[in-house]
């Protein structure tokens, strides 16, 4: 007991220290867990029992696949089928084939070579998605293509896990003389872990029927039984019962799949897809997520603790060469697919460099392959190090993408030749995403026309499909703005997706047209300060007005009159606008607002002023309501006297 508590303290402490540091350095949580495990493994005695913990932590993978299934609504998957099957499917198949060919050429037996190909076909979903979100690259064409491939890879893990036992050097089961199934050897959930099996001794046709029956039970049970079960649990009015119910579903399905010789991950993933349309989906997610994060983090720690760095230190040139060769191989395939699917310029490099590393699911497949005796221990250790090193290279690959993107931007390179702009109007709209589109549509409804520019060719073509006139070109380039009629325009709407590009556009236009009215889209409050310094006339925070409207609806639902709710909304709006201008003067570029003492002091003062102003309005309103009630009572009395 004491040793277990000591071990838990050590592992939890390592995670608490390593993961925040890794996140602060931009490496992501997965690499943080790995580094924590590596540190434990290098200290004698601390990582000694990591293998036994890893069997327990592998259940985190089962939970993760269940949550992935919950996110995959069948209707959404069907709508994305072309990109998933085409772009994502080709990436997985081509990379697997290339990895298989290279591994076979290096002398590996075909089963191990195929496992290596599948392991290298996967990329790091956790690191790539986090980086795309932080860099605001998800809305770009390259970001959407990258997400589609990552989603395909996550789905492809399921058939890979199902295929690996078939590649085992020692088969997990064979037919006895009477045609029944006899188990031999170990698997991930086999007899070594005390698993219960219901297929041993059955004839082959019986195994098939039982397996199909288990899959049907998961599908039909998920569709018909979860609703009455959750209603029954809801009657208890106990929050923890929902957690028990969620864990029961996942653990029960995992046990059922193990009993019929299937992968628990396959069963829970299938159950997740079935429940994706259920009204209890979010309840399941919220209850499973903490356990998934904890167990998955523990799994990556045990992987890191189990890495044998003697392999790396013994042959550093070979390991580094294999890592770079794997990244180059994947990069070449990804670049070819980017050309085939008509990704251009910066999007092509984002797609190529963003997915060139191996991923966290590679650790899962290596661990599973070792358990199934598909890979030798030495080969497995080599693959673990190659995967970890390639993931460590991911931040450098994204830095390389940024350098290439800036160079292409400076050199004037663009995905395609800009359109010839043959009209100049009083209003120029630079950027027609979800923000600029609304501005353009309202202007057209009011009888005004604008010159619309955007640097996303797909978006421009989509607008033309719906009958809108738009021109393809980079609005931050002076010659494009000049062709659009900047010299004669009255208003410029700066609504680009990239905040830096929007600020750059506003700064340039203010220099060449000091008299022009510039309405700029701000992504957040700090960006609003940047636009204020750049010279924007009107600054619209994309979430501010909608949030105000939502707050007004809340006030009305609480019983505040429509008029008073509108007045409170307008008072808050005026105060915030004035506050924004005043705090913009105190804002210091590059200094976080919570580290700027003058900014903080004035912000607190302005908040108190707002509270005082709103309180005084409430007092005045109450006095006016009281006066109105008194006047009404007086009139009623006069009416009674007159009647008398």
């Amino acid at each position: 007991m004491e040793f277990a508590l000591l071990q838990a303290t050590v592992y939890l402490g390592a995670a608490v220290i390593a993961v925040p540091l890794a996140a602060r350095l931009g490496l992501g949580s997965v690499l943080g867990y790995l580094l924590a495990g590596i540190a434990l493994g290098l200290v004698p005695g601390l990582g000694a029992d990591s293998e036994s913990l890893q069997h327990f932590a592998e259940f985190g993978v089962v939970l993760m696949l269940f949550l992935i299934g919950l996110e995959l609504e069948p209707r959404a998957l069907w709508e994305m089928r072309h990109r998933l099957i085409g772009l994502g499917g080709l990436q997985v198949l081509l990379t697997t084939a290339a990895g298989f060919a290279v591994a076979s050429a290096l002398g590996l037996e075909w089963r191990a070579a195929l496992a290596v190909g599948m392991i290298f076909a996967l990329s790091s979903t956790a690191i790539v998605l986090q980086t795309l979100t932080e860099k605001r690259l998800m809305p770009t064409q390259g970001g959407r293509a990258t997400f589609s491939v990552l989603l395909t890879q996550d789905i492809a893990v399921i058939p890979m896990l199902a295929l690996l036992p078939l590649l085992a050097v020692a088969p997990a089961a064979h037919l006895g003389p009477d045609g029944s199934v006899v188990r031999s050897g170990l698997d991930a959930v086999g007899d070594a872990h005390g698993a219960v099996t219901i297929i041993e001794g059955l004839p082959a046709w019986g195994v098939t029927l039982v397996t199909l029956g288990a899959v049907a039970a998961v599908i039909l049970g998920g569709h018909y039984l979860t609703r009455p079960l959750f209603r029954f649990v809801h009657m208890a009015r106990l929050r923890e019962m929902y957690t028990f119910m969620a864990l029961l579903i996942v653990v029960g399905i995992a046990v059922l799949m193990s009993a019929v010789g299937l992968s628990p991950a396959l069963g829970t993933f299938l159950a997740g897809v079935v429940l994706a349309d259920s009204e209890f989906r979010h309840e399941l997610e919220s209850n499973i997520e903490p356990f998934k994060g904890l167990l998955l983090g523990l799994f990556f720690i045990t992987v890191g603790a189990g890495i044998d760095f003697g392999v790396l230190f013994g042959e550093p040139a070979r390991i580094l060469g294999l890592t770079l060769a794997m990244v180059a191989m994947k990069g070449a395939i990804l670049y070819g697919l980017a050309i085939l699917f008509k990704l251009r310029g910066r999007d092509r490099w984002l797609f190529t460099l963003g997915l060139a590393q191996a991923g966290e699911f590679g650790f899962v497949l290596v661990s599973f392959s070792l358990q199934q005796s598909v890979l030798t221990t030495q080969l497995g250790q080599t693959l673990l190090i190659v995967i970890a090193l390639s993931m460590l290279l991911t931040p450098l690959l994204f830095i390389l993408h940024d350098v290439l993107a800036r160079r292409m931007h400076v050199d004037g390179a663009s995905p395609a030749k800009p359109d010839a702009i043959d009209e100049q109007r009083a209003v120029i709209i630079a950027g027609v995403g979800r923000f600029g589109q609304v501005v353009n549509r309202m202007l057209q409804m009011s009888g005004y026309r604008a010159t619309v520019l955007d640097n996303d060719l797909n978006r421009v073509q989509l607008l033309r499909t719906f009958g809108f006139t738009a021109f393809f070109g980079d609005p931050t380039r002076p010659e494009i703005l000049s062709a659009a009629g900047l010299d004669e325009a009255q208003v410029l709407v700066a609504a680009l997706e990239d905040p830096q590009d929007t600020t750059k556009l506003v700064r340039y236009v203010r220099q060449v047209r000091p008299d022009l009215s510039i309405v700029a889209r701000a992504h957040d409050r700090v960006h609003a300060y940047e636009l204020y310094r750049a010279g924007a006339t009107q600054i619209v925070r994309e979430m501010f007005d909608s949030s105000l409207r939502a707050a007004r609806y809340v006030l009305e639902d609480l019983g505040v009159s429509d008029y008073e709710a509108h007045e409170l909304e307008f008072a808050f709006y005026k105060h915030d606008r004035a506050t924004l201008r005043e705090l913009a003067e105190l804002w210091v570029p590059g200094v976080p607002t919570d580290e700027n003492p003058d900014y903080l002091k004035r912000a607190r003062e302005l908040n108190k002023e707002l509270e005082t102003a709103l309180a005084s309005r409430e007092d005045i309103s109450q006095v006016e309501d009281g006066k109105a009630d008194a006047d009404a009572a007086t009139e009623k009395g006069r009416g009674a006297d007159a009647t008398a």
Side-chain angles (χ1 to χ4, degrees):
M1 180 65 179
E2 290 79 5
F3 176 75
L5 291 175
L6 174 62
Q7 194 176 38
T9 303
V10 169
Y11 276 78
L12 292 173
V16 168
I17 294 172
V19 174
L21 287 176
R24 194 174 185 85
L25 294 173
L27 299 178
S29 60
V30 174
L31 285 176
Y33 288 122
L34 285 174
L35 292 174
I38 290 171
L40 292 176
L42 294 177
V43 178
L46 290 183
D49 200 34
S50 62
E51 186 175 350
S52 61
L53 274 176
Q54 187 170 345
H55 293 307
F56 172 72
E58 281 169 357
F59 195 69
V61 179
V62 174
L63 295 176
M64 178 167 66
L65 288 169
F66 177 71
L67 291 177
I68 290 175
L70 281 178
E71 295 292 337
L72 303 180
E73 297 184 34
R75 189 181 301 106
L77 287 177
W78 179 252
E79 293 175 355
M80 297 176 64
R81 63 190 183 279
H82 298 298
R83 196 175 279 270
L84 291 176
I85 298 174
L87 183 59
L90 278 176
Q91 185 275 327
V92 172
L93 291 175
L94 291 177
T95 309
T96 300
F100 171 77
V102 173
S104 298
L106 293 176
L108 290 183
E109 195 263 342
W110 74 269
R111 297 180 182 86
L114 181 56
V116 170
M118 291 189 294
I119 290 167
F120 286 160
L122 305 177
S123 303
S124 177
T125 301
I127 296 177
V128 175
L129 287 185
Q130 179 183 2
T131 307
L132 290 176
T133 303
E134 290 174 353
K135 292 180 176 290
R136 300 179 184 269
L137 293 172
M138 189 64 78
T140 65
Q141 188 178 7
R144 291 192 296 268
T146 301
F147 174 77
S148 299
V149 171
L150 289 172
L151 181 57
T152 305
Q153 291 176 357
D154 289 346
I155 297 174
V157 170
I158 299 302
M160 290 179 182
L161 288 172
L163 179 61
L164 282 175
L166 303 178
L167 300 178
V169 176
H174 64 274
L175 295 179
D178 59 350
S180 62
V181 173
V182 180
R183 293 164 61 88
S184 60
L186 301 175
D187 56 35
V189 287
D191 296 332
H193 303 294
V196 177
T197 176
I198 59 176
I199 63 171
E200 188 169 352
L202 291 178
W205 61 266
V207 173
T208 302
L209 288 179
V210 170
T211 303
L212 292 177
V215 173
V218 171
I219 296 175
L220 295 176
H223 190 72
Y224 293 106
L225 295 181
T226 51
R227 287 178 175 85
L229 282 175
F230 265 101
R231 293 192 189 101
F232 176 75
V233 168
H234 180 71
M235 294 170 58
R237 303 289 181 181
L238 296 174
R239 175 67 188 171
E240 62 270 19
M241 292 307 300
Y242 290 103
T243 304
F244 277 113
M245 183 65 190
L247 289 174
L248 174 63
I249 290 174
V250 178
V251 176
I253 292 173
V255 170
L256 176 62
M257 292 294 104
S258 301
V260 298
L262 294 179
S263 167
L266 173 63
T268 52
F269 174 81
L270 183 61
V273 174
V274 172
L275 294 171
D277 288 327
S278 168
E279 63 268 32
F280 304 107
R281 165 188 166 188
H282 298 294
E283 186 70 35
L284 288 167
E285 283 181 332
S286 62
N287 286 298
I288 292 294
E289 184 68 35
F291 295 96
K292 185 268 295 184
L294 183 63
L295 291 175
L296 205 57
L298 180 59
F299 172 77
F300 289 128
I301 292 177
T302 58
V303 168
I307 294 178
D308 183 5
F309 278 89
V311 178
L312 174 61
F313 298 143
E315 297 178 291
R318 173 175 167 269
I319 298 298
L320 292 175
L322 288 173
T323 303
L324 295 176
M326 185 272 294
V327 171
M329 178 191 74
K330 290 189 71 173
I333 294 171
L334 291 164
Y335 192 82
L337 289 174
I339 295 175
L340 179 63
F341 284 83
K342 299 180 181 179
L343 294 176
R344 299 180 176 88
R346 288 175 284 187
D347 292 321
R348 180 181 298 174
W349 285 112
L350 174 62
F351 180 75
T352 300
L353 297 174
L355 294 170
Q357 77 292 115
E360 56 273 4
F361 270 123
F363 294 121
V364 177
L365 294 184
V366 170
S367 174
F368 194 60
S369 299
L370 289 172
Q371 293 170 350
Q372 297 291 327
S373 301
V374 178
L375 302 176
T376 64
T377 302
Q378 183 178 4
L379 178 58
Q381 288 295 330
T382 301
L383 291 175
L384 289 177
I385 295 175
V386 169
I387 294 171
L389 290 178
S390 70
M391 292 172 69
L392 285 170
L393 288 176
T394 304
L396 298 179
L397 294 174
F398 273 99
I399 291 173
L400 178 59
H401 162 263
D402 294 340
V403 171
L404 292 172
R406 283 194 297 268
R407 181 172 298 177
M408 294 173 66
H409 188 73
V410 171
D411 293 342
S414 60
K417 184 179 180 180
D419 293 329
I421 303 174
D422 55 3
E423 64 179 32
Q424 290 81 35
R425 303 187 184 278
V427 180
I428 299 174
I429 299 178
V432 278
R434 57 183 181 179
F435 188 96
Q437 284 182 28
V438 176
V439 177
N440 185 42
R441 288 167 58 192
M442 185 170 178
L443 287 175
Q444 287 200 2
M445 184 192 71
S446 304
Y448 296 93
R449 299 287 300 277
T451 302
V452 177
L453 307 174
D454 201 289
N455 57 359
D456 189 325
L457 184 58
N458 289 337
R459 188 177 295 152
V460 170
Q461 291 173 342
L462 180 64
L463 285 174
R464 291 172 179 170
T465 302
F466 284 94
F468 294 97
T469 302
F471 297 97
F472 172 70
D474 187 352
T476 63
R477 293 172 57 183
E479 64 271 22
I480 299 293
L481 290 171
S482 179
L486 178 63
D487 294 337
E488 294 80 24
Q490 298 178 22
V491 183
L492 169 74
V493 179
L496 299 173
E497 296 291 335
D498 190 338
Q500 295 180 354
D501 286 346
T502 304
T503 305
K504 177 182 176 182
L505 172 63
V506 171
R507 186 177 295 112
Y508 169 77
V509 171
R510 180 55 69 213
Q511 290 174 353
V512 298
R513 283 289 309 274
D515 61 318
L516 184 67
S517 176
I518 302 175
V519 179
R521 166 194 182 182
H523 287 257
D524 51 36
R525 197 175 188 89
V526 172
H527 188 217
Y529 297 152
E530 295 175 355
L531 293 170
Y532 179 82
R533 295 282 181 90
T537 311
Q538 299 289 342
I539 301 170
V540 181
R541 281 171 283 162
E542 57 185 21
M543 301 297 292
F544 181 68
D545 289 327
S546 57
S547 300
L548 273 183
R549 189 185 306 173
R552 191 184 76 201
Y553 293 156
V554 172
L555 290 173
E556 292 172 357
D557 290 340
L558 290 174
V560 180
S561 67
D562 292 353
Y563 172 78
E564 186 62 24
H566 177 269
E567 289 296 301
L568 289 170
E569 177 190 9
F570 185 66
F572 185 90
Y573 170 81
K574 286 179 60 179
H575 179 273
D576 190 85
R577 295 281 291 180
T579 298
L580 186 70
R581 291 191 180 91
E582 187 168 345
L583 292 178
E585 299 293 341
L586 300 174
W587 174 71
V588 179
V591 178
T593 54
D594 58 352
E595 297 178 8
N596 184 337
D598 295 335
Y599 181 97
L600 285 174
K601 179 182 177 182
R602 187 55 184 151
R604 293 192 186 100
E605 293 172 352
L606 290 170
N607 284 335
K608 290 181 180 179
E609 291 177 10
L610 175 63
E611 293 174 2
T612 303
L614 293 178
S616 63
R617 289 187 59 83
E618 184 177 354
D619 293 340
I620 293 173
S621 176
Q622 290 175 352
V623 170
E624 290 177 348
D625 290 343
K627 182 179 178 182
D629 292 341
D631 291 343
T634 302
E635 290 295 330
K636 185 177 180 180
R638 289 174 180 172
D641 293 341
T643 303

